[in-house]
């Protein structure tokens, strides 16, 4: 909160650095299970990045972050809507970015939440492949692997399941 106050005094309310601080606060709130606060932080950050000339990728990432909040609240349909917009922006501008891989995996998890496993498969694979290119240290790669395990378990595809159980 202090960082936000200081940055606001230095840069003003609409600067990208304010959006970055709000994003960090949203991530922390989400980790602490404070989902309403996280949603508010991500929403405000999205407003800032949407107006910014340099923030298009960050705007899409904020949509993805808000979608994750909705998914955690059990609102899978709203999460899917936000992720559709985020992915349309990310795939067209930065298809191989970390943010794109994260959004693809989040889309898979939102579809899994709706028990739409066949639809989830393509997003889980795309997320896994995108994140795998970034290296095995990508924390989000484990989320993508788990989504694939859930998909192939439900679809009863043991050969594909084996590929992701061993990684």
């Amino acid at each position: 909160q202090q960082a936000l106050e200081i940055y606001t005094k230095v840069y003003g309310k609409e600067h990208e650095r304010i959006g970055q601080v709000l994003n960090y606060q949203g991530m922390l709130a989400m980790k602490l299970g404070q989902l309403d606060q996280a949603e508010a932080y991500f929403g405000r950050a999205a407003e800032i990045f949407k107006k910014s000339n340099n923030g298009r990728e960050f705007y899409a990432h904020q949509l993805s972050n808000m979608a994750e909040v909705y998914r955690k609240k059990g609102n899978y349909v709203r999460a899917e809507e936000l992720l559709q917009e985020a992915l349309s922006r990310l795939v067209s501008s930065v298809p191989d970015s970390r943010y794109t891989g994260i959004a693809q995996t989040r889309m898979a998890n939102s579809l899994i939440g709706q028990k739409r496993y066949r639809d989830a498969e393509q997003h889980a694979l795309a997320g896994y492949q995108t994140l795998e290119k970034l290296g095995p240290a990508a924390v989000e790669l484990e989320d993508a692997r788990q989504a694939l395990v859930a998909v192939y378990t439900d679809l009863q595809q043991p050969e594909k399941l084996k590929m992701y159980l061993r990684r």
Side-chain angles (χ1 to χ4, degrees):
Q1 192 63 36
Q2 287 178 332
L4 183 60
E5 291 171 12
I6 292 168
Y7 278 16
T8 301
K9 286 179 185 176
V10 173
Y11 297 106
K13 294 180 183 178
E14 302 297 319
H15 195 275
E16 286 179 27
R17 289 187 192 239
I18 303 302
Q20 292 168 348
V21 172
L22 290 165
N23 177 63
Y24 295 136
Q25 287 181 311
M27 295 301 290
L28 178 60
M30 190 162 54
K31 285 187 187 303
L32 294 173
Q34 300 167 347
L35 299 180
D36 291 336
Q37 282 185 307
E39 181 181 352
Y41 287 131
F42 292 140
R44 179 71 182 110
E47 290 172 13
I48 291 170
F49 288 125
K50 187 174 186 177
K51 295 175 188 173
S52 167
N53 291 331
N54 301 319
R56 290 189 180 100
E57 181 179 353
F58 296 118
Y59 171 66
H61 185 55
Q62 296 313 303
L63 295 177
S64 174
N65 286 342
M66 283 193 300
E68 184 64 3
V69 169
Y70 281 107
R71 186 186 72 80
K72 287 180 179 234
K73 288 181 173 183
N75 190 342
Y76 303 112
V77 173
R78 181 65 180 136
E80 180 184 359
E81 292 168 353
L82 288 169
L83 287 162
Q84 285 172 347
E85 182 178 352
L87 283 169
S88 72
R89 293 170 181 275
L90 291 167
V91 170
S92 66
S93 61
V94 285
D96 293 325
S97 83
R98 178 174 165 262
Y99 294 144
T100 303
I102 291 168
Q104 289 164 327
T105 301
R106 287 176 172 172
M107 177 63 91
N109 285 324
S110 293
L111 295 169
I112 288 168
Q114 298 175 63
K115 302 199 182 319
R116 292 170 49 199
Y117 295 96
R118 292 199 190 286
D119 295 332
E121 180 182 18
Q122 72 180 25
H123 293 286
L125 280 170
Y128 188 88
Q129 291 165 352
T130 300
L131 293 166
E132 189 176 43
K133 289 177 195 174
L134 301 175
V139 174
E140 296 85 2
L141 187 61
E142 177 61 18
D143 294 337
R145 187 193 68 75
Q146 289 177 3
L148 286 165
V149 168
V151 165
Y152 293 133
T153 298
D154 187 77
L155 294 177
Q156 298 178 0
Q157 296 182 2
E159 292 305 313
K160 290 182 178 179
L161 177 61
K162 286 181 195 175
M163 293 169 39
Y164 297 98
L165 284 176
R166 299 189 186 275
R167 292 182 182 219

